[in-house]
Amino acid sequence: MPENTKQQDKNESLTRRRFLKSSGIALGGLAVGGALGSLIPFKEKTSVENVKSDKKTENYNLALMYFTQEQFRMVEAATERIFPADDNGPGAKELGVAYFIDHQLSGDWGFNSREYMQPPFFKGEKVQGYQGRIRRREIFDIGLRELQNYSLTKYKKNFIDLSDEEQDDVLTDFAEDKVNLTTISASGFFTMLRSGTLEGAYSDPLYSGNRNMEGWKMRNYPGSQMAYTDVIDKKFTVIPPVSLKDHLGH
Amino acid sequence: MAKKLPKVDVVIVGVGWAGGIIAAELTKQGLNCVGLERGKERKTEDYFMVHDELRYALRYEMMQDLSKETITFRGNEKIRALPMRQYGSFLLGDGLGGAGVHWNGQTYRFLPYDFEIRSKTIERYGEKKIPKDMTIQDWGITYDELEPYFDKFEKMAGISGEENPLGGKRSNPYPTPPMKTTPVLEKFKKAATNLKLHPYNRPSANLSEAYTNPDGVSRAACQYCAYCERFGCEYGAKADPVVTVLPVAKKTGKFEIRTHSNVRRVLKTGNKATGVLYVDTTTGEEIEQPADIVVLTSYVFNNVRLLLQSGIGRPYDPKTGTGVIGKNYAYQVQKGSATGFFEKEEFNTFAGAGSLGMVIDDYNGDNFDHSKLNFIHGGSIAISQTGLRPISNNKVPKGTPSWGKEFKENSIKYANRTLSVGGQGSSMPFKHHYLDLDPTYKDEFGDPLIRITYDFEEQDRQLAKYLNERCVEIMKEMGADQIDSMNELGPYDITTYQSTHNTGGVIMGADPNTSAVNNYMQMWDAENVFVIGATAFAHNGGYNPTGTVGALSYRAAEGILSYKQKGGILA
């Protein structure tokens, strides 16, 4: 670990030096403040402490804020079918997508708190968008319950006990609205599950998904780099990813 | 009873590009200005953690909180308008600098044809070319008259670019050289040149090199970090009001910005405004700010809404086509595009800048013959390298399922092997496309939301199809192994992002009967009210609107200074 950190520190300061050069700040002597000012000296203060500490860091984020254990398992299984492990790398389960969705549901997104939720509620045209009164966390409660019910009816088994093919079959029926639900749209729920999966696979690891940046590594996405001035006019370049955590220097 | 403050020369409602330019220009000349901004303070230091796709691009960190205020929408008058409960088609800015902070920085000048669209269309094709309900009209100003103001905006912002071979005449070159021509752009340039088209580097507000503007404001060069649209720039390299015009206004000591100040009414006596009524949203207190001149510089929807709520100007009536406030709402036709998949090549498309691109205008405006075409105008066609962020960019060739094993394989395989050529189609106004107050839905204060009545027309379907075919031709020449593109435009759908280029509602013109403001953005019906922004566009062109909004803002600033001295209607 310390070895890695050192290497990373080295890479970081190189990037920073390169940035200063390419931005014309160091050369032109322009007084440019902003986030730049705070970015540049940050590193030196913290790196020393990091090297000293050899304690293993536990990830205390791997716990649930909203789902029941049963819901969590179902989300793990369903998202793994949407984004399965393969030769490219880990699937949704290993990336922590279910934790991501759980944590998102406990905040603004789960409560639709920055969306217009005032009555009256009318059914609209498709092009007018979502017009329901139910919020995302309730949609997940209902959707997961119905996913379970549908699995029990069709296969006499819990969703998580179905084979991969059977799980795909159930999810397809949801995606194609072959399941008739009264309170929510089956395909609407599936779409939310799918977009949550991609968000969990590829958002900054800060949000509990994309574990160890494995989602980014699979597709050679460099994550949160400060600058691309060195590669922008070059042929395809693989750059090891960095995350927002790296910008805080620990 | 609202608290009444001392009178100022000018009150500015909304502190984005237009508000910032007005503040800088007027305070330089000694006028006392107050800027009321409903959102929060913003500064470059806010963006230390900005490379966060989830927070900024998908959770809309910088956008207006829709729980407090949104718009309602219907395709036509027979349908019940319903609120836009979640973001989709366009993103409303909020906070200091407004949408001018989270834009890409693509900074065009509308074409000479745009400003005289009706006259020029009739001149070349006859009046019959214009469909019965299409309400295009000349803007009451020509490109040549507006040219010095474009120049001023470009110098202030430090626009990086090269001359558009098919654009209007320029008095000066761009203040900074074009952005880098990357392998992706080079590919497009070569293909377009082979096809005898006229490619040029997209004019960019992401600085190609360090720049000091005429006001003495210095900014660093763009780092191609790939987080522009929907994000603020942590380098201050992307021109936005907070790093350009606002510091200039503040330095005069004549400008006071009040954030968290949401204006609900323009107050008036007779045909003149006396000030505005606003709410301090941190305390709930109602405050009256009297002023000699009221300048509305909020986004399109709020400029129109404030006038309708305040009873200023004649509301538009779609039945008779009379009245002006809310008239000629237009949008854009963004769906004519082609996506190419390349088997043998990968690109650094994870890197980019908001305005990094290569453009052709051969199919824009009236740069091509429309005699045998069932539409007028056109659109710019471009390849853009804005940075493909991983959550939002998972293109797979047609026939791939949208989830599961094959989806994962293909989305990863093509993550860096996909290029898109897109048309930015113009949008013509129609008699039945307009903005008015919604009869049912309210904002957090109980004021009615603005209602959009709008759908795509045959003009748009034909235009989208035409641009789509041109995009496919270019993509073929670029050597893509597979090309996917749109089959049909379909109805206007508010749920999918297209562009935040909404226009019209308080349009400019030479005739008080058919326009709301003159070519100084001064209201015909209230001479001390100036309404600035894309609201003034009589139709929407085939470009991003900000360059033209900037030019109109400088023009309006000149008008306001002249009005302050002489009074009366200026044009």
Side-chain angles (χ1 to χ4, degrees):
Chain A
M1 253 327 250
E3 235 8 81
N4 271 341
T5 319
K6 258 188 218 159
Q7 187 52 44
Q8 216 170 2
D9 280 356
K10 209 174 151 197
N11 290 344
E12 277 273 304
S13 53
L14 272 177
T15 317
R16 270 159 225 275
R17 210 174 307 143
R18 233 183 289 142
F19 157 68
L20 287 173
K21 213 175 133 195
S22 58
S23 65
I25 291 170
L27 301 174
L30 293 172
V32 181
L36 290 176
S38 39
L39 273 171
I40 295 154
F42 213 100
K43 197 70 195 181
E44 282 133 71
K45 273 187 257 167
T46 44
S47 56
V48 182
E49 295 160 30
N50 268 343
V51 178
K52 262 192 230 161
S53 152
D54 54 0
K55 265 188 206 155
K56 188 173 172 282
T57 314
E58 291 286 344
N59 186 351
Y60 293 100
N61 292 338
L62 301 184
L64 301 180
M65 299 178 186
Y66 180 68
F67 286 143
T68 64
Q69 203 174 7
E70 186 197 12
Q71 287 175 320
F72 177 73
R73 292 261 153 77
M74 287 179 73
V75 172
E76 258 193 338
T79 55
E80 179 68 16
R81 295 316 303 153
I82 291 170
F83 200 78
D86 64 4
D87 294 344
N88 287 302
K93 185 176 174 181
E94 210 183 317
L95 289 168
V97 163
Y99 288 105
F100 167 84
I101 294 176
D102 172 74
H103 296 183
Q104 287 291 303
L105 284 174
S106 77
D108 279 351
W109 188 72
F111 287 101
N112 300 48
S113 48
R114 296 183 75 236
E115 292 164 14
Y116 192 81
M117 295 302 282
Q118 300 304 313
F121 293 95
F122 295 106
K123 194 172 157 30
E125 311 266 325
K126 198 168 163 269
V127 295
Q128 291 176 304
Y130 181 66
Q131 293 296 333
R133 65 181 73 219
I134 305 177
R135 291 160 202 261
R136 286 191 187 86
R137 44 166 54 197
E138 292 143 6
I139 291 179
F140 264 87
D141 284 347
I142 297 167
L144 291 171
R145 193 175 65 222
E146 296 293 346
L147 200 65
Q148 184 74 304
N149 288 343
Y150 191 72
S151 307
L152 289 168
T153 311
K154 195 162 178 180
Y155 292 106
K156 313 275 180 273
K157 276 186 203 164
N158 289 326
F159 179 79
I160 60 164
D161 298 326
L162 299 179
S163 69
D164 290 353
E165 291 72 25
E166 288 166 341
Q167 284 178 343
D168 285 352
D169 179 57
V170 168
L171 290 170
T172 304
D173 287 351
F174 269 71
E176 293 174 2
D177 269 326
K178 284 180 186 153
V179 189
N180 225 340
L181 306 182
T182 47
T183 43
I184 62 165
S185 139
S187 62
F189 169 62
F190 180 82
T191 302
M192 206 177 283
L193 208 52
R194 180 192 177 270
S195 58
T197 305
L198 289 176
E199 288 172 359
Y202 293 134
S203 53
D204 192 280
L206 146 75
Y207 297 100
S208 311
N210 187 16
R211 197 170 294 158
N212 298 321
M213 303 188 280
E214 290 294 337
W216 287 346
K217 285 175 196 163
M218 271 190 277
R219 56 190 283 160
N220 287 322
Y221 184 73
S224 170
Q225 304 284 337
M226 284 189 66
Y228 289 122
T229 38
D230 282 356
V231 300
I232 187 71
D233 49 2
K234 303 283 187 316
K235 288 202 161 147
F236 183 66
T237 318
V238 176
I239 302 170
V242 292
S243 72
L244 289 170
K245 178 176 174 287
D246 298 311
H247 289 299
L248 275 176
H250 59 75
Chain B
M1 193 59 193
K3 174 169 93 181
K4 194 166 176 173
L5 298 174
K7 190 165 155 184
V8 293
D9 292 329
V10 180
V11 64
I12 298 167
V13 180
V15 187
W17 266 131
I21 289 169
I22 294 301
E25 294 305 295
L26 302 193
T27 52
K28 278 187 215 168
Q29 301 303 319
L31 269 60
N32 279 308
C33 299
V34 165
L36 300 174
E37 167 55 49
R38 66 183 173 173
K40 65 175 182 180
E41 178 81 27
R42 290 197 193 287
K43 51 193 185 311
T44 303
E45 289 86 339
D46 296 348
Y47 310 123
F48 188 63
M49 288 278 129
V50 79
H51 291 180
D52 185 339
E53 185 185 8
L54 184 75
R55 174 178 171 192
Y56 287 88
L58 289 122
R59 301 290 184 258
Y60 311 110
E61 171 77 19
M62 314 212 46
M63 310 307 166
Q64 174 181 313
D65 181 347
L66 294 182
S67 74
K68 294 178 175 159
E69 186 191 323
T70 184
I71 55 94
T72 71
F73 159 69
R74 57 181 180 174
N76 62 62
E77 288 174 293
K78 291 186 197 114
I79 298 168
R80 186 204 311 264
L82 293 174
M84 178 177 82
R85 296 187 180 276
Q86 304 171 353
Y87 276 115
S89 176
F90 46 81
L91 302 172
L92 306 167
D94 190 55
L96 207 58
V101 175
H102 61 75
W103 69 318
N104 262 330
Q106 304 174 9
T107 314
Y108 297 94
R109 298 172 166 201
F110 273 21
L111 295 164
Y113 169 72
D114 279 306
F115 301 99
E116 299 168 89
I117 190 168
R118 187 173 176 86
S119 308
K120 291 197 170 183
T121 303
I122 292 172
E123 192 185 301
R124 186 163 174 187
Y125 307 105
E127 199 158 355
K128 276 195 193 135
K129 187 74 183 170
I130 304 168
K132 193 173 115 282
D133 289 334
M134 187 191 282
T135 50
I136 50 169
Q137 57 190 62
D138 294 354
W139 290 34
I141 197 163
T142 62
Y143 171 85
D144 290 340
E145 288 170 303
L146 206 51
E147 204 283 336
Y149 307 100
F150 277 119
D151 191 55
K152 210 165 176 186
F153 181 74
E154 288 167 0
K155 287 192 173 122
M156 176 275 293
I159 303 304
S160 306
E162 61 181 347
E163 184 157 352
N164 172 5
L166 301 176
K169 222 173 140 233
R170 303 178 57 87
S171 55
N172 284 298
Y174 284 102
T176 53
M179 307 284 283
K180 292 184 182 179
T181 303
T182 67
V184 169
L185 268 53
E186 193 59 53
K187 216 176 187 44
F188 176 92
K189 189 177 183 177
K190 214 173 137 195
T193 308
N194 290 347
L195 294 168
K196 312 241 178 315
L197 304 168
H198 300 82
Y200 65 99
N201 272 290
R202 172 182 276 147
S204 164
N206 326 124
L207 281 179
S208 62
E209 61 182 31
Y211 176 70
T212 303
N213 79 4
D215 291 314
V217 175
S218 293
R219 287 157 45 223
C222 171
Q223 299 300 302
Y224 300 90
C225 82
Y227 287 79
C228 252
E229 189 178 26
R230 306 190 183 195
F231 305 86
C233 181
E234 80 266 43
Y235 299 110
K238 175 172 72 176
D240 81 34
V242 179
V243 297
T244 54
V245 285
L246 294 178
V248 172
K250 277 193 229 164
K251 214 173 139 192
T252 62
K254 299 272 183 188
F255 185 45
E256 187 193 338
I257 298 175
R258 294 184 204 139
T259 51
H260 302 285
S261 300
N262 202 337
V263 176
R264 291 182 61 191
R265 295 289 182 279
V266 178
L267 304 168
K268 60 166 187 171
T269 307
N271 287 333
K272 276 194 177 178
T274 56
V276 300
L277 178 76
Y278 71 96
V279 175
D280 175 343
T281 58
T282 61
T283 61
E285 189 179 18
E286 288 205 326
I287 300 166
E288 185 183 333
Q289 177 60 65
D292 285 334
I293 298 170
V294 173
V295 186
L296 301 187
T297 49
S298 59
Y299 195 61
V300 164
F301 299 115
N302 264 345
N303 276 358
V304 176
R305 194 166 83 116
L306 272 173
L307 292 175
L308 291 173
Q309 268 174 198
S310 309
I312 294 177
R314 294 148 290 145
Y316 177 66
D317 179 353
K319 284 186 190 69
T320 59
T322 57
V324 285
I325 308 301
K327 177 184 165 173
N328 279 22
Y329 172 73
Y331 188 49
Q332 213 147 41
V333 181
Q334 290 278 2
K335 290 188 182 172
S337 63
T339 301
F341 297 90
F342 292 77
E343 297 293 334
K344 293 183 205 84
E345 232 177 320
E346 287 186 271
F347 308 96
N348 288 338
T349 42
F350 51 78
S355 191
L356 181 61
M358 189 69 71
V359 190
I360 56 152
D361 278 320
D362 298 76
Y363 308 113
N364 200 359
D366 205 27
N367 289 342
F368 58 114
D369 184 17
H370 291 71
S371 307
K372 291 184 182 135
L373 299 169
N374 290 320
F375 62 89
I376 61 163
H377 211 304
S380 54
I381 288 178
I383 193 153
S384 300
Q385 193 173 351
T386 57
L388 298 182
R389 294 175 291 271
I391 303 172
S392 311
N393 292 286
N394 288 284
K395 290 229 169 94
V396 287
K398 210 171 258 174
T400 307
S402 66
W403 58 281
K405 188 173 184 299
E406 200 187 334
F407 167 76
K408 188 190 173 194
E409 274 169 17
N410 273 346
S411 64
I412 287 171
K413 176 182 172 189
Y414 291 105
N416 305 302
R417 296 172 185 277
T418 310
L419 300 179
S420 291
V421 168
Q424 181 163 198
S426 57
S427 171
M428 297 304 108
F430 284 82
K431 196 180 165 193
H432 47 279
H433 294 171
Y434 62 99
L435 303 172
D436 66 354
L437 296 177
D438 190 273
T440 309
Y441 293 96
K442 311 273 188 250
D443 71 4
E444 61 174 329
F445 304 115
D447 288 330
L449 300 180
I450 199 86
R451 174 170 68 177
I452 303 173
T453 305
Y454 176 80
D455 203 353
F456 291 136
E457 303 286 333
E458 191 53 24
Q459 150 83 21
D460 304 308
R461 285 184 280 275
Q462 295 286 336
L463 171 60
K465 192 166 161 279
Y466 185 83
L467 289 180
N468 169 255
E469 288 162 5
R470 304 292 82 76
C471 291
V472 170
E473 285 166 5
I474 297 171
M475 189 51 86
K476 264 190 197 143
E477 187 66 29
M478 286 169 65
D481 294 289
Q482 182 172 338
I483 300 173
D484 287 349
S485 70
M486 170 209 79
N487 295 321
E488 230 178 278
L489 180 63
Y492 172 62
D493 182 341
I494 204 161
T495 65
T496 51
Y497 188 76
Q498 289 153 66
S499 83
T500 304
H501 303 163
N502 317 76
T503 62
V506 194
I507 65 171
M508 62 192 287
D511 178 358
N513 286 316
T514 56
S515 61
V517 294
N518 61 26
N519 63 23
Y520 287 99
M521 313 308 116
Q522 178 187 34
M523 284 193 77
W524 296 114
D525 294 334
E527 63 175 47
N528 68 339
V529 178
F530 290 75
V531 186
I532 311 169
T535 28
F537 292 13
H539 69 272
N540 202 2
Y543 290 134
N544 308 60
T546 303
T548 302
V549 169
L552 294 178
S553 303
Y554 278 105
R555 167 88 182 170
E558 207 176 281
I560 295 167
L561 288 167
S562 155
Y563 175 77
K564 178 73 183 157
Q565 282 181 348
K566 297 184 297 195
I569 289 286
L570 297 161

